[in-house]
Amino acid sequence: MRTNTRSFLGAEVELESVLVPLDLVSVFGRLAPVEVDFGSGDGSFLVALAERSPERDFLGVEKLPGRFQSGCRRIGARGLSNARILQLEISHALYLLPRGSIDVFYLLFPDPWPKRRHQLRRVVTTEFLRAVARALKSHGAVRIKTDQEDYFAAMQRTLRDAPELNAIVEDGEAALPQTTFEKRFLQAGAPIYRLELRKTVANG
Ligand SMILES: C[S@@+](CC[C@H](N)C(=O)[O-])C[C@H]1O[C@@H](n2cnc3c(N)ncnc32)[C@H](O)[C@@H]1O
């Protein structure tokens, strides 16, 4: 695993191969709990978490070049060694994460694709939840937020196909920094729907 120190101050994860699982110890230069932010956008949530928890590592996954670069610059400007961003599709990144390696996944305000004919593009599917369960450590958590009631209901239906993940009453909400999109939605008075899941089976 290499990081490119020239373009983004070492904040991006550069893959040796799109087929080889990520070596998280090599990415962060140490063995520590890892949290993953899917669709990390401008990186401000990732950076806020990394600044307040230097003993943990934070991996963003973002496909859009402009947002990926903003996130990398934000990390580089603060000199954070515990935050990195991978520019990749979420489904592909999930495939590269070693089994039982992740402590927490965040999926915060995923693209809603409200039109019926576009809903197949939504990130949360049975395959997504099963892959998340596979990559999570035992008792690892998934934190999801959306402003879309319809998507939220669809997520809860999909959850029935992932018995390893159980919805629990969220306890740490107040402690989470607000994301850029969350601030926008709150300002607009939009509702925020939250789901916290926990992996309840041991890693096989
Ligand atoms: C609505 S924005 C939310 C960004 C951030 N989580 C926040 O709350 O401010 C969704 C983000 O997910 C990214 N995204 C959507 N689908 C993705 C995918 N399949 N793979 C990687 N990134 C994706 C988008 O490019 C965008 O930056």
Side-chain angles (χ1 to χ4, degrees), residues 45-59:
F45 174 77
L46 193 74
V47 160
L49 287 183
E51 282 185 321
R52 84 174 186 189
S53 298
E55 74 288 0
R56 301 174 80 86
D57 290 328
F58 298 89
L59 177 68

PDB file of all heavy atoms in Angstrom, residues 45-59:
ATOM      1  N   PHE A  45     -16.675  15.481   8.235  1.00  0.00           N
ATOM      2  CA  PHE A  45     -17.078  14.574   9.323  1.00  0.00           C
ATOM      3  C   PHE A  45     -15.901  13.667   9.709  1.00  0.00           C
ATOM      4  O   PHE A  45     -15.580  13.490  10.881  1.00  0.00           O
ATOM      5  CB  PHE A  45     -18.286  13.746   8.852  1.00  0.00           C
ATOM      6  CG  PHE A  45     -18.718  12.685   9.809  1.00  0.00           C
ATOM      7  CD1 PHE A  45     -19.449  13.001  10.948  1.00  0.00           C
ATOM      8  CD2 PHE A  45     -18.403  11.355   9.575  1.00  0.00           C
ATOM      9  CE1 PHE A  45     -19.857  12.005  11.835  1.00  0.00           C
ATOM     10  CE2 PHE A  45     -18.810  10.356  10.454  1.00  0.00           C
ATOM     11  CZ  PHE A  45     -19.539  10.689  11.591  1.00  0.00           C
ATOM     12  N   LEU A  46     -15.232  13.136   8.688  1.00  0.00           N
ATOM     13  CA  LEU A  46     -14.086  12.246   8.912  1.00  0.00           C
ATOM     14  C   LEU A  46     -13.003  12.961   9.727  1.00  0.00           C
ATOM     15  O   LEU A  46     -12.448  12.411  10.687  1.00  0.00           O
ATOM     16  CB  LEU A  46     -13.525  11.818   7.544  1.00  0.00           C
ATOM     17  CG  LEU A  46     -12.549  10.668   7.510  1.00  0.00           C
ATOM     18  CD1 LEU A  46     -13.278   9.351   7.726  1.00  0.00           C
ATOM     19  CD2 LEU A  46     -11.819  10.617   6.154  1.00  0.00           C
ATOM     20  N   VAL A  47     -12.724  14.198   9.348  1.00  0.00           N
ATOM     21  CA  VAL A  47     -11.684  14.976  10.029  1.00  0.00           C
ATOM     22  C   VAL A  47     -12.101  15.287  11.472  1.00  0.00           C
ATOM     23  O   VAL A  47     -11.281  15.189  12.399  1.00  0.00           O
ATOM     24  CB  VAL A  47     -11.399  16.261   9.223  1.00  0.00           C
ATOM     25  CG1 VAL A  47     -10.729  17.324  10.076  1.00  0.00           C
ATOM     26  CG2 VAL A  47     -10.527  15.927   8.011  1.00  0.00           C
ATOM     27  N   ALA A  48     -13.361  15.605  11.661  1.00  0.00           N
ATOM     28  CA  ALA A  48     -13.822  15.904  13.030  1.00  0.00           C
ATOM     29  C   ALA A  48     -13.657  14.666  13.920  1.00  0.00           C
ATOM     30  O   ALA A  48     -13.198  14.765  15.066  1.00  0.00           O
ATOM     31  CB  ALA A  48     -15.278  16.363  13.006  1.00  0.00           C
ATOM     32  N   LEU A  49     -14.006  13.492  13.386  1.00  0.00           N
ATOM     33  CA  LEU A  49     -13.835  12.270  14.175  1.00  0.00           C
ATOM     34  C   LEU A  49     -12.358  12.001  14.451  1.00  0.00           C
ATOM     35  O   LEU A  49     -11.977  11.637  15.565  1.00  0.00           O
ATOM     36  CB  LEU A  49     -14.417  11.065  13.428  1.00  0.00           C
ATOM     37  CG  LEU A  49     -15.928  10.924  13.323  1.00  0.00           C
ATOM     38  CD1 LEU A  49     -16.269   9.622  12.609  1.00  0.00           C
ATOM     39  CD2 LEU A  49     -16.592  10.948  14.686  1.00  0.00           C
ATOM     40  N   ALA A  50     -11.539  12.167  13.414  1.00  0.00           N
ATOM     41  CA  ALA A  50     -10.105  11.857  13.552  1.00  0.00           C
ATOM     42  C   ALA A  50      -9.437  12.790  14.557  1.00  0.00           C
ATOM     43  O   ALA A  50      -8.558  12.374  15.319  1.00  0.00           O
ATOM     44  CB  ALA A  50      -9.423  11.949  12.191  1.00  0.00           C
ATOM     45  N   GLU A  51      -9.857  14.041  14.575  1.00  0.00           N
ATOM     46  CA  GLU A  51      -9.250  15.006  15.508  1.00  0.00           C
ATOM     47  C   GLU A  51      -9.625  14.678  16.952  1.00  0.00           C
ATOM     48  O   GLU A  51      -8.818  14.823  17.859  1.00  0.00           O
ATOM     49  CB  GLU A  51      -9.682  16.432  15.163  1.00  0.00           C
ATOM     50  CG  GLU A  51      -8.907  16.951  13.966  1.00  0.00           C
ATOM     51  CD  GLU A  51      -9.196  18.400  13.640  1.00  0.00           C
ATOM     52  OE1 GLU A  51     -10.366  18.811  13.748  1.00  0.00           O
ATOM     53  OE2 GLU A  51      -8.245  19.107  13.249  1.00  0.00           O
ATOM     54  N   ARG A  52     -10.845  14.226  17.140  1.00  0.00           N
ATOM     55  CA  ARG A  52     -11.256  14.011  18.532  1.00  0.00           C
ATOM     56  C   ARG A  52     -10.878  12.614  19.047  1.00  0.00           C
ATOM     57  O   ARG A  52     -10.908  12.383  20.247  1.00  0.00           O
ATOM     58  CB  ARG A  52     -12.731  14.294  18.704  1.00  0.00           C
ATOM     59  CG  ARG A  52     -13.625  13.172  18.373  1.00  0.00           C
ATOM     60  CD  ARG A  52     -15.059  13.475  18.698  1.00  0.00           C
ATOM     61  NE  ARG A  52     -15.826  12.283  18.482  1.00  0.00           N
ATOM     62  CZ  ARG A  52     -17.129  12.223  18.505  1.00  0.00           C
ATOM     63  NH1 ARG A  52     -17.810  13.311  18.737  1.00  0.00           N
ATOM     64  NH2 ARG A  52     -17.745  11.096  18.295  1.00  0.00           N
ATOM     65  N   SER A  53     -10.513  11.679  18.139  1.00  0.00           N
ATOM     66  CA  SER A  53     -10.134  10.325  18.588  1.00  0.00           C
ATOM     67  C   SER A  53      -8.815   9.901  17.953  1.00  0.00           C
ATOM     68  O   SER A  53      -8.784   9.050  17.059  1.00  0.00           O
ATOM     69  CB  SER A  53     -11.228   9.316  18.221  1.00  0.00           C
ATOM     70  OG  SER A  53     -12.424   9.626  18.858  1.00  0.00           O
ATOM     71  N   PRO A  54      -7.705  10.485  18.394  1.00  0.00           N
ATOM     72  CA  PRO A  54      -6.412  10.179  17.766  1.00  0.00           C
ATOM     73  C   PRO A  54      -5.980   8.729  17.941  1.00  0.00           C
ATOM     74  O   PRO A  54      -5.110   8.257  17.215  1.00  0.00           O
ATOM     75  CB  PRO A  54      -5.432  11.134  18.468  1.00  0.00           C
ATOM     76  CG  PRO A  54      -6.134  11.634  19.665  1.00  0.00           C
ATOM     77  CD  PRO A  54      -7.604  11.509  19.436  1.00  0.00           C
ATOM     78  N   GLU A  55      -6.610   8.015  18.870  1.00  0.00           N
ATOM     79  CA  GLU A  55      -6.229   6.607  19.102  1.00  0.00           C
ATOM     80  C   GLU A  55      -6.927   5.666  18.126  1.00  0.00           C
ATOM     81  O   GLU A  55      -6.676   4.468  18.125  1.00  0.00           O
ATOM     82  CB  GLU A  55      -6.542   6.209  20.548  1.00  0.00           C
ATOM     83  CG  GLU A  55      -8.011   5.989  20.884  1.00  0.00           C
ATOM     84  CD  GLU A  55      -8.886   7.262  20.951  1.00  0.00           C
ATOM     85  OE1 GLU A  55      -8.362   8.377  20.740  1.00  0.00           O
ATOM     86  OE2 GLU A  55     -10.095   7.128  21.181  1.00  0.00           O
ATOM     87  N   ARG A  56      -7.810   6.199  17.278  1.00  0.00           N
ATOM     88  CA  ARG A  56      -8.529   5.373  16.300  1.00  0.00           C
ATOM     89  C   ARG A  56      -8.191   5.857  14.898  1.00  0.00           C
ATOM     90  O   ARG A  56      -7.786   7.000  14.711  1.00  0.00           O
ATOM     91  CB  ARG A  56     -10.050   5.475  16.524  1.00  0.00           C
ATOM     92  CG  ARG A  56     -10.462   5.039  17.916  1.00  0.00           C
ATOM     93  CD  ARG A  56     -11.936   5.281  18.181  1.00  0.00           C
ATOM     94  NE  ARG A  56     -12.794   4.248  17.601  1.00  0.00           N
ATOM     95  CZ  ARG A  56     -13.094   3.104  18.199  1.00  0.00           C
ATOM     96  NH1 ARG A  56     -12.606   2.836  19.388  1.00  0.00           N
ATOM     97  NH2 ARG A  56     -13.875   2.217  17.613  1.00  0.00           N
ATOM     98  N   ASP A  57      -8.403   4.971  13.898  1.00  0.00           N
ATOM     99  CA  ASP A  57      -8.138   5.343  12.503  1.00  0.00           C
ATOM    100  C   ASP A  57      -9.451   5.457  11.735  1.00  0.00           C
ATOM    101  O   ASP A  57     -10.415   4.731  12.016  1.00  0.00           O
ATOM    102  CB  ASP A  57      -7.220   4.297  11.856  1.00  0.00           C
ATOM    103  CG  ASP A  57      -5.815   4.360  12.434  1.00  0.00           C
ATOM    104  OD1 ASP A  57      -5.369   5.471  12.823  1.00  0.00           O
ATOM    105  OD2 ASP A  57      -5.154   3.303  12.526  1.00  0.00           O
ATOM    106  N   PHE A  58      -9.473   6.360  10.737  1.00  0.00           N
ATOM    107  CA  PHE A  58     -10.703   6.681  10.015  1.00  0.00           C
ATOM    108  C   PHE A  58     -10.451   6.661   8.503  1.00  0.00           C
ATOM    109  O   PHE A  58      -9.577   7.374   8.007  1.00  0.00           O
ATOM    110  CB  PHE A  58     -11.208   8.066  10.454  1.00  0.00           C
ATOM    111  CG  PHE A  58     -11.550   8.094  11.918  1.00  0.00           C
ATOM    112  CD1 PHE A  58     -10.591   8.409  12.867  1.00  0.00           C
ATOM    113  CD2 PHE A  58     -12.820   7.740  12.346  1.00  0.00           C
ATOM    114  CE1 PHE A  58     -10.885   8.388  14.223  1.00  0.00           C
ATOM    115  CE2 PHE A  58     -13.131   7.714  13.702  1.00  0.00           C
ATOM    116  CZ  PHE A  58     -12.170   8.038  14.641  1.00  0.00           C
ATOM    117  N   LEU A  59     -11.233   5.821   7.837  1.00  0.00           N
ATOM    118  CA  LEU A  59     -11.085   5.676   6.388  1.00  0.00           C
ATOM    119  C   LEU A  59     -12.343   6.200   5.704  1.00  0.00           C
ATOM    120  O   LEU A  59     -13.449   5.698   5.938  1.00  0.00           O
ATOM    121  CB  LEU A  59     -10.885   4.187   6.042  1.00  0.00           C
ATOM    122  CG  LEU A  59     -10.791   3.848   4.554  1.00  0.00           C
ATOM    123  CD1 LEU A  59      -9.503   4.403   3.948  1.00  0.00           C
ATOM    124  CD2 LEU A  59     -10.865   2.332   4.347  1.00  0.00           C
TER     125      LEU A  59
END
